[in-house]
């Protein structure tokens, strides 16, 4: 029983950590590469061949494909572990682990990785476009990083209370959905309508973020000197 409880807690946390690392590293790489291209004036050369929207979309999709390759390795490894555990005589002791590696949960892992990636990279792309150095970007990206860190800090609460009112509400907030909803799915799969609603809300948020980030990227990548203020950036996004 004690072993099963440990598996029930640690396996979802491990998958959430993988999800966090994959989304965060992809967004960070996109932001730093954008800043480097802007500061070295390579961006001006690139924009001579493609539009800002095409460049931003290409960068996001390109890095996303690398991330999907990473996630595919995780999923294949999980499948191999599932087969290995199932083949052991003591498979009953690994019930929680086998359930965590089920094909349905691996499918949701890929879905929430992709949605989380596109949502956060839109934010990181906008930050990279308006900053001239990584030092400037550090302060501006703090709110975004905090949105990724908060679910990590509350991970044990969500794992132990997957159907609580707080867990349900937070999993419906798009900026927290990828990790919180996947933790709920890993521990005790919520009703399908809740999962589909969270996916729909994330798709709507991604559309809004891409629309705003594209406007910020178009203006910001060709601006140098003093970093624009938050009100100016928001005005660009609405413009």
């Amino acid at each position: 029983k004690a072993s099963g409880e440990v598996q029930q807690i640690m396996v979802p946390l491990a998958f959430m950590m993988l999800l966090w690392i994959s989304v965060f590293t992809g967004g960070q790489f996109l932001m730093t590469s954008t800043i480097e291209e802007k500061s070295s004036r390579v961006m001006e050369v690139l924009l001579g061949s493609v539009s800002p929207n095409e460049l931003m979309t290409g960068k996001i999709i390109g890095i996303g494909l690398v991330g999907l390759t990473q996630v595919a390795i995780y999923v294949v490894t999980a499948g191999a572990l599932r087969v290995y555990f199932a083949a052991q005589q003591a498979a009953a002791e690994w019930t929680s682990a086998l359930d965590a590696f089920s094909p349905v949960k691996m499918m949701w892992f890929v879905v929430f990785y992709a949605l989380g990636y596109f949502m956060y990279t839109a934010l990181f792309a906008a930050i990279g476009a308006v900053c001239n150095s990584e030092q400037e970007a550090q302060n501006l990206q703090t709110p975004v990083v905090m949105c990724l860190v908060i679910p990590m800090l509350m991970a044990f609460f969500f794992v132990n209370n997957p159907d609580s009112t707080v867990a349900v509400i937070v999993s419906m907030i798009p900026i927290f959905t990828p990790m919180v909803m996947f933790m709920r799915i890993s521990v005790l799969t919520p009703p399908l309508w809740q999962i589909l609603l969270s996916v729909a809300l994330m798709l709507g948020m991604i559309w809004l973020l891409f629309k705003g980030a594209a406007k910020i990227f178009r203006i910001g990548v060709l601006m140098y000197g003093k970093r624009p203020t938050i009100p100016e950036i928001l005005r660009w996004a609405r413009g």
Side-chain angles (χ1 to χ4, degrees):
K1 181 179 178 182
S3 176
E5 290 176 351
V6 171
Q7 292 173 35
Q8 189 176 19
I9 294 174
M10 296 309 298
V11 173
L13 291 179
F15 275 111
M16 188 196 66
M17 183 64 72
L18 291 175
L19 188 62
W20 187 90
I21 292 172
S22 299
V23 171
F24 182 72
T25 54
Q28 280 284 310
F29 184 78
L30 176 63
M31 183 186 72
T32 54
S33 65
T34 301
I35 293 173
E36 289 173 3
E37 291 167 0
K38 181 180 176 181
S39 60
S40 63
R41 304 301 175 100
V42 172
M43 188 66 70
E44 297 176 3
V45 178
L46 295 175
L47 293 178
S49 303
V50 296
S51 68
N53 288 354
E54 291 173 340
L55 179 60
M56 187 188 81
T57 303
K59 290 170 74 68
I60 290 175
I61 292 175
I63 297 173
L65 291 175
V66 175
L68 282 174
T69 303
Q70 203 174 20
V71 169
I73 294 172
Y74 298 155
V75 172
V76 171
T77 303
L81 288 172
R82 180 180 173 83
V83 172
Y84 173 77
F85 289 145
Q88 301 302 304
Q89 293 182 350
E93 299 178 5
W94 296 93
T95 301
S96 297
L98 290 172
D99 181 61
F101 297 152
S102 68
V104 173
K105 290 183 178 180
M106 291 300 95
M107 177 197 73
W108 287 120
F109 179 77
V110 174
V111 168
F112 283 109
Y113 163 76
L115 293 174
Y117 169 80
F118 283 115
M119 182 172 60
Y120 277 100
T121 49
L123 294 171
F124 279 112
I127 292 171
V130 301
C131 295
N132 299 303
S133 66
E134 292 188 30
Q135 288 74 22
E136 289 184 359
Q138 293 300 319
N139 293 330
L140 201 58
Q141 71 172 333
T142 299
V144 179
V145 174
M146 288 303 299
C147 289
L148 281 165
V149 171
I150 289 173
M152 297 285 292
L153 299 177
M154 299 181 65
F156 281 100
F157 172 81
F158 293 128
V159 169
N160 291 318
N161 305 278
D163 278 347
S164 66
T165 303
V166 173
V168 173
I169 292 174
V170 174
S171 67
M172 295 299 167
I173 301 174
I175 205 74
F176 301 129
T177 295
M179 285 175 287
V180 177
M181 182 56 79
F182 185 73
M183 275 191 285
R184 293 184 63 206
I185 292 172
S186 298
V187 179
L188 182 64
T189 304
L192 182 61
W193 70 266
Q194 291 187 11
I195 301 175
L196 296 179
L197 176 59
S198 69
V199 170
L201 291 172
M202 282 197 69
L203 289 172
M205 176 63 76
I206 290 169
W207 182 79
L208 290 174
L209 289 176
F210 261 73
K211 188 175 179 181
K215 294 176 181 178
I216 295 171
F217 194 90
R218 184 174 63 249
I219 299 172
V221 290
L222 294 177
M223 291 191 68
Y224 301 92
K226 184 181 177 181
R227 193 192 75 193
T229 62
I230 298 296
E232 288 176 328
I233 295 172
L234 293 176
R235 190 164 57 249
W236 294 352
R238 290 193 303 265

